[in-house]
Amino acid sequence: MALLQISEPGQSTAPHQHRLAAGIDLGTTNSLVATVRSGSAAVLEDENGESILPSVVCYDKHGVSAIGREAREQAAENPYNTISSVKRLIGLSAEDITSSSAGMMFQLESTDSTVPRIKTDAGPKTAIEVSADILRSLRARAEQSLGGELGGVVVTVPAYYDDTQRQATKDAAKLAGLNIYRLVNEPTAAAIAYGLDREEVDSTIAVYDLGGGTFDISILKLEKGVFEVLSTAGDTALGGDDIDQAVVSWFVSEHNISVGDDAALQRGLLDQARAAKHQLTLANEALIQFEYQGASFSTTLSIEVFDSLVKTLVERTLKSCRAALRQAKLKKNDIDNVVMVGGSTRVPFVRKMVGEFFDQEVLTDINPDEVVAIGAALQADVLAGNTPDSDMLLLDVIPLSLGIETHGGLVEQIIPRNTTIPVARAQEFTTFKDGQTAMALHVVQGERDLVRDCRSLGRFELRGFVPAVAGQARIQVMFQVDADGLLTVSAIEKTSEVHAEVQIKPSYGLLDSEIETMIRESMTHAEHDVAARMLQEQRVEAERAVEALDAAMARDADEFLAADEKQKILDARALVVQSADSNDAEAIKTALRELESVSEVYVARRMNASVGKSMTGKHIDSYDH
Ligand code: ADP
Ligand code: MG
């Protein structure tokens, strides 16, 4: 397994030259930028002394009219031009978006373009462009405060991000004029911020990240200074926003207020709730006051009541924690460190419950809003070559298996789920038909055996190889996943050395809820899948055998076979064809065995006459011209 030596990029520069580098946490709710100065990492503030940039962008006809806090505050007046939580949309198709964006106010442009565009007064905007505007703002802040151009940045992404989402994030950085050293998984960055990578002993780390609208739990393994993501789980619709909502619901029921669909009232209450929630980090009670229809309401929210509201939400996160442990095949007491990440882990009761769950003191020394950006800054510093002695290594895993469609709509897995990256795996395939000179390859992602139950990542064609007998061509398909988790697939036909420069046209990324569903389904459907796969394999086998037989017999049946021998074979062939139409894998198998046995003489005679031999193997559909 190739490990990534991330100190490489800096080695070509003069060692004494300090390059400006930064780490960026591009969050769903909030984004931050941090850098290393005189050996220690810290987040950078804007001119108002604010380090957190709310991930909200507002547009008018001239372009970006407000960003960050300012954009968030005026969202109500201009909902269709104000885009928040754009991270949820990055790398998704229009179809994905309509099903995942309930509650968001923007409208999608209806175009034929594959990348969905949000309507704004500044024209249609893709999620990549909106993210780029956020990154541009952070870049300006960094360059202003560091007094020079940034040499490069590390941007963090959720560990479960798929290929398309990672690519989209990279594109956003490029668009913002940033040189991206690497994408790094958020939990890995958090663990690095705590210096866990420098510990002498090997350890297992849980990173618990409860942000504004999402929850992620990741289990990392640190072995000889190398990080590996063992598993990830979470909930894309669970976070601080739900706590705010729970407080509002409580307040409303206390006072018997009917909010209905009064948007201004809802927003006002949510603001009050959030303010109270933040106060309760340090205080034991918070006052919620509210004017409504001329009457004024006020209630004290006690820490006890607040904790009881938070409890149900935390219990939901613990379910995901159990799932992640299960997936990593670990028990709670295998976890050596628990790193707390995300603004919502400032709630003392969250810390308490998570600590009790893992039965240990959780790590909270580094501000949980900042910890990811700080870890990213430390890595950016290494990648810029500012720490020549560093031997920091990083390993991540791919979240879902990658494979290729083979004949009959089956998936041949090339790289299984949870394989550490970077990784390269090759597999050999062969042709299905005589004289085949082209082949269609379909790259899929998922845990199921049948292509229709997996996600299509892209297709490409390998053309122009020398025609040969079915099964003779040798096509090597190579899957490479780089350190950023990006996939490249290439194919080469070995005898004629035709190489396909593949262009995987990305379909859109998976939602992590989809990932979860797919994983879950692969478990519940496992039995059915095995049966379906066996049937399908037998059918393919039958088809292949009949094709090969027909081709051979057309050439030389009369030369090698007596009339009765020929008839026997044809009878057996008919039986194979008939059974292949049934749903009985066993029947096909039996018929095939029979065909094989009656053809034995024929095969032997042909072989002796050394008329072609046929390789067995996996068969990819021939490409139809
Ligand atoms: P994300 O990673 O989703 O971009 P953050 O990690 O910045 O988001 O978390 C934002 C959330 O943290 C918001 O819901 C915010 O209300 C919450 N938060 C921030 N500070 C506190 C606090 N002191 N107490 C409770 N929640 C907090
Ligand atoms: Mg975050």
Side-chain angles (χ1 to χ4, degrees):
M1 175 71 48
L3 299 181
L4 182 74
Q5 184 83 45
I6 68 169
S7 55
E8 262 165 19
Q11 278 166 5
S12 57
T13 63
H16 56 269
Q17 183 192 343
H18 187 91
R19 294 224 226 143
L20 298 181
I24 293 178
D25 171 6
L26 184 63
T28 312
T29 319
N30 296 314
S31 297
L32 295 98
V33 57
T35 194
V36 174
R37 271 193 281 209
S38 22
S40 72
V43 294
L44 299 173
E45 295 174 347
D46 66 7
E47 62 278 6
N48 303 320
E50 303 257 12
S51 59
I52 288 177
L53 179 75
S55 306
V56 186
V57 187
C58 187
Y59 293 95
D60 64 15
K61 63 179 195 295
H62 306 294
V64 175
S65 61
I67 199 158
R69 176 191 290 267
E70 201 191 321
R72 194 178 59 194
E73 278 167 3
Q74 53 120 77
E77 294 134 48
N78 202 353
Y80 294 103
N81 275 310
T82 309
I83 301 171
S84 55
S85 299
V86 73
K87 187 174 178 178
R88 289 184 185 281
L89 312 182
I90 206 156
L92 302 188
S93 69
E95 233 168 63
D96 290 332
I97 288 179
T98 36
S99 59
S100 74
S101 57
M104 290 193 209
M105 289 297 270
F106 57 76
Q107 289 181 331
L108 288 186
E109 194 90 352
S110 54
T111 63
D112 297 339
S113 158
T114 45
V115 184
R117 291 180 155 76
I118 301 165
K119 278 186 193 166
T120 76
D121 287 350
K125 294 279 173 194
T126 62
I128 294 174
E129 292 166 286
V130 180
S131 304
D133 284 327
I134 296 168
L135 290 169
R136 234 176 248 125
S137 166
L138 294 171
R139 174 185 165 200
R141 180 193 297 186
E143 295 189 337
Q144 189 142 36
S145 99
L146 299 175
E149 206 169 297
L150 281 175
V153 292
V154 163
V155 178
T156 57
V157 291
Y160 59 78
Y161 252 26
D162 71 13
D163 205 53
T164 319
Q165 291 167 306
R166 284 170 200 265
Q167 188 59 61
T169 306
K170 276 193 146 180
D171 291 345
K174 220 183 294 163
L175 209 56
L178 290 165
N179 169 33
I180 200 156
Y181 288 138
R182 244 203 103 168
L183 298 177
V184 166
N185 287 336
E186 288 159 9
T188 309
I192 285 172
Y194 274 99
L196 298 178
D197 52 311
R198 287 189 296 277
E199 288 192 350
E200 293 289 301
V201 285
D202 296 348
S203 63
T204 309
I205 303 150
V207 181
Y208 179 102
D209 182 351
L210 190 60
T214 54
F215 170 67
D216 297 307
I217 174 80
S218 315
I219 313 283
L220 310 180
K221 191 170 106 189
L222 179 71
E223 209 168 31
K224 301 183 188 72
V226 174
F227 276 111
E228 187 181 336
V229 183
L230 294 181
S231 66
T232 65
D235 191 330
T236 44
L238 181 61
D241 296 346
D242 298 282
I243 303 182
D244 304 346
Q245 198 61 59
V247 171
V248 169
S249 301
W250 168 82
F251 182 79
V252 163
S253 75
E254 282 288 287
H255 289 283
N256 260 325
I257 307 171
S258 147
V259 182
D261 47 14
D262 183 338
L265 176 61
Q266 278 173 4
R267 214 176 31 256
L269 280 169
L270 279 172
D271 287 344
Q272 285 277 320
R274 190 174 318 112
K277 170 181 82 173
H278 289 201
Q279 271 179 40
L280 288 170
T281 301
L282 296 171
N284 283 327
E285 51 182 47
L287 194 64
I288 299 179
Q289 275 177 311
F290 205 73
E291 300 278 331
Y292 175 56
Q293 293 183 339
S296 80
F297 300 87
S298 116
T299 312
T300 302
L301 175 59
S302 71
I303 190 87
E304 289 79 18
V305 172
F306 179 67
D307 287 351
S308 72
L309 298 175
V310 168
K311 190 166 180 235
T312 9
L313 298 172
V314 181
E315 272 162 359
R316 279 171 62 194
T317 68
L318 297 181
K319 243 190 200 165
S320 297
C321 292
R322 280 187 205 101
L325 284 169
R326 218 171 19 245
Q327 202 184 311
K329 299 195 174 63
L330 293 174
K331 300 215 163 42
K332 285 190 223 171
N333 56 14
D334 293 324
I335 303 295
D336 302 302
N337 287 296
V338 181
V339 176
M340 298 296 268
V341 180
S344 300
T345 64
R346 291 190 180 200
V347 174
F349 196 65
V350 173
R351 296 179 173 186
K352 181 167 175 279
M353 281 185 76
V354 176
E356 279 168 9
F357 177 82
F358 285 103
D359 194 23
Q360 62 183 278
E361 192 96 358
V362 295
L363 295 174
T364 56
D365 300 343
I366 303 178
N367 187 336
D369 307 306
E370 301 178 353
V371 63
V372 168
I374 285 178
L378 288 169
Q379 294 204 29
D381 198 47
V382 174
L383 287 164
N386 295 335
T387 52
D389 303 335
S390 171
D391 57 352
M392 191 168 11
L393 296 169
L394 278 179
L395 274 186
D396 293 332
V397 294
I398 54 164
L400 284 172
S401 305
L402 295 165
I404 206 147
E405 174 171 356
T406 60
H407 194 68
L410 293 175
V411 178
E412 177 70 12
Q413 276 193 4
I414 311 269
I415 306 181
R417 180 163 93 87
N418 277 341
T419 302
T420 49
I421 56 171
V423 61
R425 296 261 168 94
Q427 187 140 329
E428 219 163 81
F429 294 89
T430 186
T431 45
F432 186 71
K433 286 212 167 98
D434 283 351
Q436 197 174 326
T437 60
M439 188 178 253
L441 294 116
H442 183 198
V443 181
V444 296
Q445 186 169 37
E447 305 314 310
R448 302 284 299 276
D449 282 339
L450 300 178
V451 167
R452 61 159 192 265
D453 298 324
C454 291
R455 177 87 171 196
S456 168
L457 284 183
R459 297 171 185 272
F460 68 99
E461 292 156 15
L462 184 64
R463 288 166 162 277
F465 46 86
V466 177
V469 178
Q472 210 144 62
R474 304 178 59 172
I475 290 102
Q476 190 179 54
V477 177
M478 169 82 101
F479 275 53
Q480 277 175 288
V481 183
D482 73 11
D484 296 321
L486 294 176
L487 170 70
T488 314
V489 182
S490 59
I492 184 166
E493 200 288 302
K494 284 179 136 182
T495 29
S496 46
E497 299 221 323
V498 179
H499 185 258
E501 269 316 311
V502 308
Q503 288 220 312
I504 296 220
K505 296 178 202 95
S507 349
Y508 283 85
L510 284 168
L511 298 169
D512 66 341
S513 57
E514 272 183 282
I515 294 186
E516 272 177 28
T517 313
M518 289 169 95
I519 293 170
R520 218 176 26 246
E521 279 182 356
S522 78
M523 290 171 180
T524 48
H525 292 279
E527 243 169 72
H528 171 259
D529 272 7
V530 169
R533 186 178 185 102
M534 258 177 54
L535 177 63
Q536 204 60 3
E537 273 175 357
Q538 289 303 327
R539 280 185 178 151
V540 169
E541 199 50 38
E543 204 180 323
R544 190 197 61 80
V546 168
E547 286 233 7
L549 180 72
D550 289 354
M553 286 184 62
R555 261 194 304 265
D556 53 26
D558 296 331
E559 188 182 333
F560 293 114
L561 293 170
D564 62 326
E565 287 171 329
K566 189 172 161 186
Q567 193 51 51
K568 252 194 191 163
I569 294 179
L570 288 177
D571 289 348
R573 177 195 180 279
L575 216 64
V576 169
V577 172
Q578 194 193 333
S579 65
D581 276 340
S582 76
N583 284 327
D584 187 348
E586 273 309 309
I588 308 176
K589 210 172 176 177
T590 315
L592 270 172
R593 227 180 277 139
E594 175 62 17
L595 178 63
E596 208 172 281
S597 116
V598 300
S599 317
E600 236 167 46
V601 207
Y602 179 39
V603 172
R605 286 175 196 158
R606 291 186 94 223
M607 283 250 282
N608 289 342
S610 66
V611 187
K613 65 179 171 63
S614 172
M615 243 172 68
T616 51
K618 305 276 179 196
H619 300 266
I620 295 186
D621 258 340
S622 64
Y623 176 71
D624 291 327
H625 298 269

